[in-house]
Amino acid sequence: MPELLTLADSQATALFEPYRVPLTAAYIAVLSVVAVYGLHRYFLVWTWRRHQRDVHRPEQRFAEHPRVTVQLPVFNEGQVVQRAIDAVCKLEWPKDKLQVQILDDSTDDSLEIARVRVEYWRARGVDVVHIHRTDRTGFKAGALANGLKSATGEFVALFDADFVPPTNFLKRTIHHFTDAKLAVVQTRWDHLNREDSALTRAQAILLDGHFVIEHTARNRSGRWFNFSGTGGVWRVAAIEDAGGWEHDTLTEDMDLSYRAQLNGWDFRYLPHIACPAELPPEVNAFKSQQHRWTKGTVQTMLKLLPRILRAKAPFKCKLEACFHLTHPLVYLLINVFVLLFFPTIAANADQQSTMFGVLFGFTMFGLGALSAGVYYTTSQRILGKPLGATLFQMPVLLAVGVGIALNNAIACLEALVGHRSDFIRTPKYNRTEAAARQSVATAAPVGPGGLARLIPVPSLKRWVVLVEIALGVYLLWCIVQAWGDVRTALSLPFLFIFAAGYLYVGLSSAWLSVRCWMESREIAATPEAA
């Protein structure tokens, strides 16, 4: 078996030196593009600070309460559906002006749970209807469009099944629609299970950056932003004017948002109103969610970006839309960077100058990790989180962000080549304090070892898990090669984070797959326990 090439091995230099120019050019090009998106994070933080006092308030209030329809799309969500129905039926609004639609595409026993709960609230005077489809055409977008056919409201509030809106949600949002040009009011996502684990804490910070900094900066500076699919209210006339819900992308919310804004509708973001929801508590559910969001964003980019660039819209809106819709492509560059690291360093090993290593370290730190650190730390400080605790979580946050890169890069490639896939819902577990008070019928079943039984993720690709682990091992080997060499010493902190990220995501996914297999065997052996 041939020995592995090392940086100290002249054979490595001899192998890669003929390709020094293209390797170095590609390496610097990747870093340069990543740096541009890092600069954009700084820009968003600066824009937020510039507009932090520009708080949106209703220009006036409706003299008479308008009629509102609340839509709750669900699909096989037995752990959370009862809690979700209870939450939307408790919304404070005149009963004669409120309609609740449970848009249920379920095929399991959660269908009966929903029906029973709907009857419970109907008996208490709530106008709630249970709309069940046996054909999932269009998935969530199809369910929303189907619900609109019988919606009686002038406005429609949307909540996913894991959301628990505050009872005064409608009172705090609807009066903004006294502005006749307003299409959407979006509220900030909060997190029911933020403190469950290092993974949920990392996810919470990642989403906080998006909802605290990004949405606020864009909206208050007059740039376009997107409705986030839940925790918001639409004017029905705006949905119809923009062409309605379409299901040719996996992010029907983003697609409709840009089409509405292209038609001249205004959006409003209210970060001071928090709408709590459950974060995916295990890594495979997180990967499935990220895959759908990433692929859907790139699909929307392909569908609408040419139209956006041709539109008669402010340049700042077009530029920000470019950054927003193309940002997932950075995941492709992260994986290219990982693969280029050793060949590029080896190709330059006989160069006397240390500037290449210094350039690498400075660029990655100043415009990569540091920009992310500033971005996410700022969002946590805005929310009143302790600075020390936030800084302590930064390495984990960066590792999770990198570890998900292969999963999301594959989502980008699938979108770019036109690969179609189903809308795979994110598994929901209802792991909150309220779960202890749930009935046995809605509690998460228990699997081997007393752990909550896992909900399988059908979109999980086993070969991706193996490649994630392989990339983690490769990066550990790169750390060994970079150790003690002044030209690559500055890269070590980033290599550690990259290796930890790939290994954490890959090994966690592998372990969860083993657990799913063990549970399936247990169920097969004892059918009565299923």
Side-chain angles (χ1 to χ4, degrees):
M1 180 177 178
E3 295 183 0
L4 289 173
L5 296 174
T6 69
L7 285 175
D9 192 338
S10 60
Q11 293 182 21
T13 301
L15 177 64
F16 294 111
E17 194 278 336
Y19 309 103
R20 177 184 299 155
V21 173
L23 281 172
T24 304
Y27 192 76
I28 292 176
V30 167
L31 289 179
S32 299
V33 175
V34 171
V36 169
Y37 283 91
L39 281 172
H40 181 248
R41 276 198 176 127
Y42 284 124
F43 169 77
L44 289 173
V45 172
W46 175 81
T47 304
W48 176 86
R49 291 194 180 280
R50 186 181 177 191
H51 294 277
Q52 60 181 303
R53 300 186 187 281
D54 300 344
V55 180
H56 290 301
R57 294 183 176 86
E59 297 178 359
Q60 52 187 317
R61 299 179 67 85
F62 286 107
E64 181 180 346
H65 288 87
R67 186 160 181 82
V68 178
T69 295
V70 178
Q71 291 187 325
L72 180 68
V74 296
F75 174 67
N76 294 352
E77 324 220 42
Q79 278 71 40
V80 297
V81 66
Q82 177 175 312
R83 181 185 68 185
I85 293 174
D86 289 350
V88 297
C89 288
K90 290 177 182 177
L91 289 171
E92 297 170 352
W93 202 249
K95 287 187 178 181
D96 62 333
K97 296 295 180 71
L98 180 67
Q99 176 195 36
V100 178
Q101 294 180 331
I102 311 303
L103 308 176
D104 196 350
D105 288 356
S106 298
T107 57
D108 64 2
D109 57 0
S110 64
L111 184 65
E112 184 60 24
I113 296 172
R115 282 175 175 163
V116 169
R117 209 59 189 167
V118 165
E119 289 305 315
Y120 172 87
W121 284 105
R122 286 188 65 83
R124 283 154 180 78
V126 178
D127 179 12
V128 53
V129 294
H130 185 249
I131 302 174
H132 178 237
R133 295 194 309 164
T134 56
D135 178 6
R136 286 195 75 205
T137 299
F139 305 105
K140 180 181 176 181
L144 294 173
N146 183 59
L148 279 181
K149 295 176 183 177
S150 57
T152 59
E154 180 183 353
F155 306 101
V156 57
L158 301 176
F159 302 101
D160 284 347
D162 55 327
F163 274 71
V164 185
T167 57
N168 62 357
F169 182 89
L170 294 177
K171 289 183 176 180
R172 300 179 69 187
T173 55
I174 290 296
H175 293 289
H176 287 268
F177 288 99
T178 52
D179 178 353
K181 293 180 60 180
L182 190 64
V184 169
V185 168
Q186 173 70 55
T187 63
R188 175 172 60 85
W189 292 9
D190 203 358
H191 320 292
L192 292 168
N193 58 334
R194 173 190 285 266
E195 300 300 330
D196 272 11
S197 66
L199 176 62
T200 56
R201 285 191 290 271
Q203 290 180 70
I205 296 175
L206 288 169
L207 285 171
D208 287 344
H210 177 66
F211 281 94
V212 175
I213 300 291
E214 193 173 336
H215 267 359
T216 307
R218 285 175 177 153
N219 188 226
R220 292 185 181 177
S221 65
R223 291 166 172 82
W224 292 346
F225 81 105
N226 66 293
F227 170 66
S228 299
T230 176
V233 185
W234 272 89
R235 188 188 297 270
V236 173
I239 297 176
E240 295 171 347
D241 178 69
W245 294 105
E246 297 179 357
H247 56 267
D248 53 348
T249 75
L250 293 178
T251 48
E252 71 292 323
D253 45 9
M254 183 180 295
D255 172 24
L256 181 60
S257 296
Y258 276 106
R259 285 188 279 120
Q261 288 169 114
L262 282 165
N263 280 12
W265 290 95
D266 292 336
F267 280 37
R268 186 162 297 174
Y269 179 56
L270 306 178
H272 58 283
I273 302 177
C275 195
E278 176 187 309
L279 295 162
E282 48 92 359
V283 74
N284 285 343
F286 174 55
K287 289 170 72 173
S288 174
Q289 182 187 70
Q290 288 291 309
H291 184 278
R292 187 179 75 246
W293 288 354
T294 301
K295 184 172 181 177
T297 300
V298 177
Q299 289 174 329
T300 304
M301 175 196 75
L302 295 172
K303 176 181 179 179
L304 294 180
L305 190 55
R307 179 179 165 188
I308 291 170
L309 295 177
R310 293 193 304 267
K312 293 181 179 179
F315 175 76
K316 65 180 181 180
C317 292
K318 295 182 180 182
L319 182 60
E320 191 60 35
C322 286
F323 273 107
H324 183 200
L325 295 175
T326 62
H327 186 269
L329 301 178
V330 172
Y331 290 111
L332 287 170
L333 299 181
I334 290 174
N335 290 281
V336 171
F337 157 74
V338 168
L339 296 175
L340 284 177
F341 177 80
F342 179 80
T344 307
I345 299 299
N348 288 273
D350 63 351
Q351 302 300 301
Q352 296 300 314
S353 173
T354 62
M355 287 305 297
F356 187 80
V358 172
L359 175 64
F360 160 75
F362 178 78
T363 303
M364 286 298 292
F365 181 77
L367 299 178
L370 186 58
S371 72
V374 170
Y375 180 76
Y376 292 113
T377 300
T378 302
S379 73
Q380 297 307 289
R381 294 299 294 154
I382 295 168
L383 293 175
K385 306 296 181 183
L387 177 60
T390 301
L391 293 176
F392 183 75
Q393 293 177 63
M394 273 302 120
V396 177
L397 175 71
L398 295 173
V400 170
V402 169
I404 206 74
L406 179 64
N407 175 82
N408 290 2
I410 292 169
C412 289
L413 290 174
E414 289 181 359
L416 290 172
V417 300
H419 176 266
R420 311 298 298 180
S421 57
D422 290 347
F423 183 104
I424 304 298
R425 73 177 182 91
T426 304
K428 302 173 181 71
Y429 290 84
N430 194 7
R431 292 181 181 173
T432 64
E433 292 181 4
R437 300 190 294 273
Q438 291 277 327
S439 66
V440 175
T442 60
V446 176
L451 298 173
R453 183 171 293 161
L454 292 171
I455 301 173
V457 180
S459 60
L460 181 67
K461 299 176 177 64
R462 301 290 186 269
W463 67 267
V464 174
V465 175
L466 298 177
V467 176
E468 287 167 342
I469 296 172
L471 286 173
V473 172
Y474 162 72
L475 285 163
L476 289 178
W477 177 71
C478 286
I479 290 171
V480 174
Q481 303 309 311
W483 199 275
D485 191 319
V486 68
R487 293 164 298 183
T488 54
L490 288 172
S491 68
L492 285 172
F494 305 104
L495 291 176
F496 274 113
I497 289 173
F498 277 46
Y502 281 111
L503 288 174
Y504 167 73
V505 170
L507 292 174
S508 297
S509 290
W511 164 236
L512 290 171
S513 296
V514 171
R515 273 191 59 195
C516 276
W517 174 75
M518 292 170 60
E519 290 173 8
S520 65
R521 290 195 61 185
E522 180 189 57
I523 292 170
T526 56
E528 66 277 7

